[in-house]
Amino acid sequence: MKNKKNTVLVLGAGIAGIQASLDLAEMGVEVHLIEGTPTIGGRMPQLDKTFPTNDCSMCILSPKMSECARHPLITIHIKSTLEEISGEPGAFTCRVIEQAKYVDPVKCVSCGLCEAKCPVKIDDEFDVGLRKTKAISRYFLQSIPSEYTINPSHCLYLTKGVCKLCEKVCPTGAINYDDKDREIEISAGAVILATGIDPFNPLGFGQYGYHRYPNVVTSLEFERMLSASGPLGGHVVRASDDKPPKKIAFLQCIGSRDEGIDRNYCSSACCMFAIKQSIIAKEHSKDLDASIFYMDIRAFGKDFDKYYDKAENHYGVKFKRSKIADIVELPDGSLDLKYTFENGDIQHEVFDLVVLSIGLQPRTGSRKLADKLDIRLNKFGFCHSDTFTPQETTRQGVFVCGAMNNPKDIPESVVSASGAVAGAVKFLNLGRHDISTGEEEIIEKDVSGERPRVGVFVCHCGINIAGVVDVKNVAEMAKDLKNVEHSEDVMYACSTDCLELIKERIEEHGLNRVVVAACTPRTHEPLFRDTISGAGLNPYLFEMANIRDQCSWAHMNEPELATEKSKDLVEMAVGKARNLTPLKRLPIAIDPEALVVGGGLAGMTCALAIADAGHQVFMVEKESSLGGNMKDIFFNLDGSDPQQFLAETIRKVEDHPEIRVFLNSTIEDIAGYVGNFRTMFTNGSGQQEELTHGVVVVATGGSEHKTTEYLYDESSRVITQKEFERMLQEEKFPPGKLREVVFVQCVGSREEGRMYCSRVCCSKAVKNARQLQSKKSRANIYFAYRDIRTYGFSEQYYSELRNSGALFFRYTPDNKPEVEKVHPDDPESRVRVTLFDPVLEKDVVIEADLVVLATAIDPPEENLKLAKMLKIPLNSDGLFLEAHVKLRPVDFATDGIFVCGLAHSPKDMSESIAQAKAAGSRALTFLKKNSILAEGTIAEVRTDRCSGCGYCEDVCAYAAIEIDPEEGVAVINDALCKGCGACVASCRCGALDLRGFTNEQLFSVFDALEIDAVEGIV
Amino acid sequence: MNKEFTPRITSFLCKWCSYTGADLAGTSRLQYSTSIIPLQVMCSSRVDPVFLLKAYLSGSDGVLMGGCHPGDCHYETGNYHTRRRFALVKEVFDSLGLESARLKLSWISASEGPKFARVANEYTEEIRKLGENPTRKSIFL
């Protein structure tokens, strides 16, 4: 592998492909991102909101899309396919076909005249046929790249040789009917596949009435109906009569968990998807009645159960555990649903609209792709990967991420993408690099001495802002403000074409300050700063007015007052912008070592990912051996051997030249900041040691909840899953034959004090029950459960267990199973379990030889201490809270700190491995750089005013300011200053100021706020 | 005074907790009074006592300060300084005969969208009862 190429080819530009590309590019790797459609973005742009935070999908995705498009190391190939991979891992040659676009992307200005004139209307694929588009079009409003393309199978000129209207109206002569498909060869060290999934098509399944009845829609269609930028503008109406529905039914598991159609797997995301849609629909229309018809609600992810609870108890969504027997259309277009409850009761109910929660399935053509690329698929047609190597395909050097290898939601796709990157970099030869790699230096304009010329851009955000605030009026008002040279309203300020527009306006009007009134600076300020930076302005000459999150969304019923407030906010922003000055960002050197806290599976996997990339890793583990919780896992559902894998992993860690393991060690203190951490810990021999490192990975794991329920403390016949698994492994069963074994699920989970699902217990119980059966035990198996959550491919094992005769009894928290000893005085007495059977509607009594409790996963107590040391947040359950639930699942808001494994939330082995590799990758995006740039907002001293009193020194929490003994004035350490401004407010002489938040700037904000009508002077 | 009096409440919100909490209130579509005019600062400890006075004298009917909960400050101890300074400013207001009831300090974390909305509404009501800021009608020299 001499000719290692520092290039990776990523196939598929959905969220997984985008994340993989960004991670690689940040490590200094050149990326070719191949996408079949005319835009990057994948499925996410089709979504209106995302669970469980109801974040606007496009809002969180578009900064990543823009970042991807702007990154100098990423080359995007749209309308392209990967045809062949030849050569060896480390030096692949990839044959790619770029289809003709018929529009020159360099000349196209995305004005849209061509689309307006094009006479050919075709179904819009992006809006799942709910809207028409043209033969020349953009895939969707915020497509990246934003240039138009011609669909050759519909274009009149390309099919029949007539028309050419687009060529006539195009102002830049960008149309090129002679464009040809091109074949290109890309040399790449590794390949990452992220082609995603297709939604299940219910067309061939007549029982649901899809397409036969206009008011039966799929969940994807309903999502587009809900979307503010969708075909209905977010106002949901029925196709049959354009009336808003008052009663909506969501039918779960359409195309999932269905052996009859070869889909004996759970699509994992649809339950949450339906809950989200029911909540959003109810927010749109308060008196809406929403019912979800389901088998089990699989809300197994972090904070999912709270969302489920909120839907049921706050929003009043009705959850009906039942089977749909029939759907009949009534004369007015409504639908009569016939359904049966568990106890056999049959009910009829009429709904205005029925939403089919369709499952996820492998993409059409994935079999062909697999053959071309020589990779194996599993029996359901998803890309095959093993439990211990979730991102590896059967071909070395070719990795997989996103939903291509199993159904996933967004954060898991992001995790798997970063995880795949960790695999791919092993086939590259990466050194450390300076941040400027590949970046074209833009000369910054000197604006000093110029009078302020402010440009104001007021965003509609579709109808998110414009639906409440009179955006045009706000933009108009801004024109009259002092120093405003230009003001206009824009549809989506963050879209690529608008960012280009801002740059053009800077040139056109000679703007030297920019104000964008849109969403929150928290998510979008970096994007706009980058944009004005691209136009030669210092990025700090920018100010944002938050007229969405803190105005239109919070005052939806008061459009006039919201408009007035928006004006105030814009006026304040302009006031501040007027006084902004250019700031410089200083480089912060990055220490190339990493600290990993915790030596369980996640910690070890992450350490190996970082160490294999050539970086020293310090691993601090509190126990006397490595392995964590995995030491108690002996079987896997797919038959693989966890203990063998664990032994190999421990050996790799212990033998690795770049990993230093500290056992029996506890961390006392972590100081410093990204790139420059300093950690004090007590080592195994009780001595204090100090480490310096550039990043921290938190992998502190979790522990089994200690229950007192179900006689756990009193009977030797009541044990936990963990104890049962060891019992199975050692074959040491309690005396007598095992005839009756009862599994009790959700012990401690999903109830007061632990309002979360521990996620792994259902699959674990199914696994151990099957293991018991494989020991030739003829025991009768009973499950007491609330919802069986064997998501993904575990479903097949659950249905096998069910088919083998195991009996399942659902219980509710107010009617838990009761356990009592048959002979109260005998500690080894069998136990009597009383279960309520909702099918027979009476109690069932079992004299059990063994009761196995699926106890919850608890976060370790030391999380709190670590959270305080690192100043990172925990959620209300004591789990570490990542920077963004959807798109930054392993990062913290504080740079240079990452999380993986159970410390983040309960997850299984394969998921822990994926997340650990992801954390490793994310850490490498820092470690592979020699330095990063610090923020520009730090304090400064005007020494001529300083009296050297030293109050500032006392208030600074970072020892970033001190009095120079010789000069007798305060001096600031720029690298240590965090820019809080505490010293500034403490300064009695007005010698201190905070850059970016100066007294002058803030005073000009107050001036903007000043009430004009003063009537007298006192 | 008109019946439809909409107070104006200048709200200093720290970037890490209160401002994020206010964003969350919006993202969750919790509805609160339009009186709240947010102004982001890096930390509540950046708010110079003079800012409170200036906001008051510029005609704000109320001034709200939002910071991280004590012990949770993103800058370790910033909000402790805020708490001390705030108590002092209230005293100064009282001794000058200004209405210190028009100043409020509240700890709102990034996850407390509902609390932000509640504080916003309750404080608006309090200020509404106090009526317009007298400086709207006159200037103190």
Side-chain angles (χ1 to χ4, degrees), chain A residues 500-514:
Chain A
E500 282 309 312
L501 179 98
I502 294 174
K503 286 190 199 169
E504 283 164 27
R505 296 288 189 252
I506 291 173
E507 280 305 311
E508 195 180 331
H509 298 277
L511 305 175
N512 54 22
R513 310 282 190 280
V514 172

Side-chain angles (χ1 to χ4, degrees), chain A residues 832-880:
Chain A
R832 190 177 293 120
V833 184
T834 310
L835 296 166
F836 176 75
D837 181 358
V839 178
L840 303 172
E841 291 185 298
K842 61 181 188 192
D843 282 345
V844 173
V845 181
I846 303 155
E847 285 208 359
D849 301 289
L850 203 55
V851 173
V852 185
L853 307 180
T855 45
I857 296 177
D858 273 340
E861 279 168 17
E862 62 263 31
N863 276 8
L864 195 63
K865 197 177 137 200
L866 199 60
K868 280 208 180 297
M869 269 189 245
L870 287 165
K871 289 184 219 56
I872 48 178
L874 296 172
N875 75 1
S876 54
D877 301 314
L879 299 164
F880 283 102

Side-chain angles (χ1 to χ4, degrees), chain A residues 3-59:
Chain A
N3 303 319
K4 277 187 177 178
K5 293 276 181 227
N6 278 340
T7 304
V8 171
L9 182 138
V10 177
L11 179 67
I15 183 57
I18 289 177
Q19 182 64 42
S21 303
L22 286 171
D23 282 346
L24 286 162
E26 284 299 304
M27 293 180 201
V29 178
E30 197 183 329
V31 180
H32 286 272
L33 180 55
I34 313 293
E35 167 60 39
T37 70
T39 178
I40 61 170
R43 292 278 168 208
M44 253 188 98
Q46 286 182 303
L47 307 180
D48 179 35
K49 302 278 159 54
T50 58
F51 56 82
T53 49
N54 288 2
D55 263 332
C56 158
S57 182
M58 202 54 221
C59 301

